[in-house]
Amino acid sequence: MDILKSRFLPLIALIASLLFLYFRTPSSNKSIDAECSLLTQDHYWIVSKRVVTPRGVAPAAVEVKAGCINTVKEGEYDKSSLQNAHVLDYGHAVLMPGLIDVHAHLDEPGREEWEGFSTGTKAAAAGGITTLIDMPLNSFPSTVSEETLKLKLEAAKKKLYVDVGFWGGLVPENAFDPSALDKLLKAGALGLKSFMCPSGINDFPMTNSTHIKEGLKVLAKYKRPLLVHAEVVPESESHIAHGSDESDPRSYATYLKTRPPSWEEAAIRELKDASEETRVGGNAEGAHVHIVHLADSRTSLDLIKASKRGGSSLTVETCPHYLAFSAEEIPDGDTRFKCAPPIRDEANRQSLWEALLEGHIDMLSSDHSPSIPDLKLFNEGDFLRAWGGISSLQFVLPITWSYGKIYGITFNQLANWWSERPAKLAGQTNKGAIKSEMDADFVVWMPEVEFELDENYDIYHKHRNISAYLGQRISGKVLATFVRGNLVYSEGKHASAACGAPILAEQ
């Protein structure tokens, strides 16, 4: 018996220690759960020949521990030091900071049939997006108060495959009520969003420049941004908003005429004046104005440049669909391409790329705005009546890369547009770059791999047939996505549980 004890006790101890290591939870509350990750380790290394850090692109080994980046060994490192570690070697695949999409409509609660937290964040994970910021409208009710933000948080429970933050809404009913805005911001809204034209959502009415200035005063106390849909219908052009009786509603040119660049220009002129309050010494110093989905690369962009030069705290985004498509190529009746502001002409598309490369456009976002297929009116093909919005979450990285290659874009530019600058806008100081002490949010992808978005491609959006990107042959296949150390997506498989976290602004 003593002999048996002497033989088996060490084995029992070894098994016990292995079980402890397998099931143990880190001291941090960002622990690895067996269902949250396709990995069981909470301490491991990722190795790649192409790691994108703020210093550039180089071979590197990245140590992940308890959901955070512990160490980054760039260049030639001592491989023997990793002999006893768990190592994920991705070879020549690109390891980049996870994408942060600051402009997505997930439509829950109230319109889960349009998208929803589960399908939307699954699609995001499959596309290399590790953080989404959800817009306050297209759900019902819209997120315009402390109470409606709580409804969002409740609806999101156990449905998030990536981390999700929330913008609140600035609307006429709360714009002159600082107490209501205070409560919304203290409840965790990362900033506010407003429309300068009708939004198409009944409980999210448009604001004017007076509302915007009042909102900026409150936001200044919290140092958070105001995001603005910048289109205004000039009084002299109000008659063109619905087209003429003689126009063909199936023609994209008809729709394009109903939302001319002058609408963006008029709104940005008003915003230019309002944003002066954000300058040093202004009434809203500390606040920030962010113009969403810029489509006009001409006068509107010139106004933005002038505002920045004048010292206003202002940034601007555009979206992949404005960089990928031009009005001339949109088929009649194909309402998948309808969005607002509209996709403009080819010369405008090229100018948007130039502005992005020159730094005048600060970042990119998806403006993922799906609906049920019936609202796209595919049978009628009526651009004037169909719901506008491009469904895109899963595709933004390969689309940006595929259309940007001709302009010579770099991996570091991608990381700036999709990670570093969006993180700053959303106040996420622990995200957006591969460096020590940051969240271990990564996308691993192969830029050289081409694929077709056809009926055989796995698409995780709720409605795969409404995306304008279907039928495209693109390059840049996402291999894996990590969210705070959890391997949430790998080679067509998601983690079995949705363990993304809601992001709330800190006081």
Side-chain angles (χ1 to χ4, degrees):
M1 182 64 70
D2 290 337
I3 293 173
L4 289 174
K5 285 183 179 179
S6 65
R7 288 181 178 177
F8 286 107
L9 280 176
L11 180 59
I12 292 169
L14 175 61
I15 293 171
S17 64
L18 289 173
L19 287 171
F20 172 76
L21 287 170
Y22 185 84
F23 290 109
R24 74 190 177 96
T25 56
S27 57
S28 167
N29 59 7
K30 301 175 181 178
S31 61
I32 295 286
D33 184 289
E35 294 185 341
C36 295
S37 178
L38 297 169
L39 282 176
T40 56
Q41 294 81 8
D42 71 343
H43 185 194
Y44 56 90
W45 291 77
I46 301 178
V47 174
S48 170
K49 299 290 185 184
R50 294 186 287 183
V51 178
V52 183
T53 73
R55 293 158 53 92
V57 181
V62 180
E63 182 186 19
V64 176
K65 191 173 184 180
C68 295
I69 299 171
N70 197 49
T71 308
V72 180
K73 295 184 177 182
E74 295 183 56
E76 295 301 322
Y77 54 88
D78 183 8
K79 293 184 179 180
S80 64
S81 64
L82 307 183
Q83 282 183 350
N84 298 320
H86 185 82
V87 178
L88 302 175
D89 191 342
Y90 283 104
H92 286 274
V94 174
L95 177 68
M96 202 167 78
L99 277 64
I100 298 173
D101 186 358
V102 296
H103 191 155
H105 298 268
L106 296 178
D107 306 329
E108 193 171 355
R111 292 191 176 95
E112 297 93 321
E113 69 274 17
W114 290 21
E115 185 62 270
F117 286 116
S118 181
T119 54
T121 58
K122 266 192 171 182
I129 297 171
T130 54
T131 302
L132 287 173
I133 315 298
D134 184 39
M135 281 292 169
L137 71 161
N138 293 12
S139 54
F140 183 78
S142 293
T143 311
V144 296
S145 65
E146 177 186 14
E147 293 74 22
T148 49
L149 178 56
K150 288 178 179 177
L151 291 176
K152 274 272 188 189
L153 292 168
E154 186 63 30
K157 284 183 178 178
K158 298 183 180 180
K159 296 178 183 176
L160 306 180
Y161 285 85
V162 302
D163 290 348
V164 176
F166 307 91
W167 302 118
L170 179 71
V171 291
E173 70 180 79
N174 63 19
F176 295 105
D177 188 347
S179 175
L181 291 178
D182 275 328
K183 289 177 181 178
L184 177 56
L185 293 165
K186 286 178 179 177
L190 300 177
L192 300 175
K193 162 75 181 292
S194 73
F195 266 70
M196 297 180 74
C197 61
S199 71
I201 299 295
N202 290 336
D203 68 341
F204 204 92
M206 60 183 280
T207 54
N208 57 35
S209 57
T210 303
H211 299 129
I212 286 170
K213 289 178 181 179
E214 291 300 314
L216 286 172
K217 290 177 186 177
V218 178
L219 286 163
K221 297 188 296 181
Y222 299 88
K223 293 183 168 50
R224 296 182 205 168
L226 174 66
L227 288 74
V228 185
H229 181 125
E231 286 183 291
V232 162
V233 186
E235 289 185 14
S236 61
E237 298 181 16
S238 59
H239 64 285
I240 69 172
H242 301 291
S244 66
D245 293 338
E246 297 81 22
S247 58
D248 178 6
R250 288 181 52 82
S251 168
Y252 183 75
T254 296
Y255 172 61
L256 187 59
K257 290 176 183 176
T258 67
R259 297 186 93 108
S262 57
W263 286 24
E264 290 186 81
E265 178 186 336
I268 291 169
R269 285 189 189 280
E270 291 188 24
L271 280 177
K272 184 175 180 291
D273 292 337
S275 68
E276 291 178 1
E277 302 289 336
T278 67
R279 297 177 183 178
V280 175
N283 290 330
E285 180 183 350
H288 179 81
V289 173
H290 179 74
I291 297 169
V292 300
H293 51 44
L294 179 75
D296 173 36
S297 63
R298 298 180 175 98
T299 303
S300 298
L301 187 61
D302 290 338
L303 291 167
I304 290 168
K305 292 178 189 177
S307 187
K308 289 181 176 182
R309 286 195 301 268
S312 296
S313 183
L314 184 144
T315 50
V316 59
E317 70 186 48
T318 193
C319 306
H321 44 272
Y322 298 122
L323 301 171
F325 304 126
S326 58
E328 294 90 335
E329 65 182 303
I330 296 176
D332 286 352
D334 197 344
T335 55
R336 296 177 305 155
F337 291 88
K338 181 180 178 179
C339 58
I343 296 164
R344 304 199 186 280
D345 59 53
E346 174 63 16
N348 184 83
R349 185 186 77 84
Q350 293 186 25
S351 294
L352 283 174
W353 269 113
E354 291 172 8
L356 181 64
L357 292 166
E358 292 170 1
H360 302 304
I361 295 174
D362 301 278
M363 66 192 77
L364 297 174
S365 76
S366 73
D367 189 16
H368 176 69
S369 185
S371 69
I372 56 173
D374 287 351
L375 290 179
K376 299 300 283 187
L377 302 181
F378 291 135
N379 290 335
E380 297 99 310
D382 187 332
F383 276 105
L384 299 181
R385 293 173 47 240
W387 181 263
I390 305 289
S391 179
S392 58
L393 267 181
Q394 192 173 332
F395 316 131
V396 292
L397 175 56
I399 289 293
T400 306
W401 174 249
S402 298
Y403 284 88
K405 286 189 298 181
I406 191 173
Y407 297 95
I409 67 172
T410 68
F411 299 140
N412 277 102
Q413 285 175 317
L414 281 174
N416 282 334
W417 300 333
W418 276 113
S419 303
E420 184 178 340
R421 291 171 184 168
K424 183 177 180 181
L425 177 71
Q428 300 306 297
T429 57
N430 58 328
K431 294 182 181 292
I434 296 180
K435 58 184 181 181
S436 297
E437 300 184 0
M438 304 288 275
D439 283 354
D441 293 349
F442 312 117
V443 56
V444 182
W445 63 293
M446 284 296 292
E448 298 81 11
V449 174
E450 294 187 354
F451 57 96
E452 288 193 23
L453 292 177
D454 56 19
E455 65 275 5
N456 298 315
Y457 193 80
D458 288 331
I459 296 174
Y460 299 96
H461 302 145
K462 180 156 286 186
H463 304 291
R464 60 174 293 138
N465 65 319
I466 65 172
S467 178
Y469 294 114
L470 293 181
Q472 296 280 310
R473 183 168 182 81
I474 54 179
S475 60
K477 182 176 176 59
V478 173
L479 304 180
T481 304
F482 296 77
V483 178
R484 286 175 292 104
N486 287 329
L487 179 56
V488 299
Y489 174 83
S490 179
E491 297 283 6
K493 183 179 180 182
H494 288 83
S496 58
C499 299
I503 299 172
L504 298 176
E506 297 178 359
Q507 299 305 311

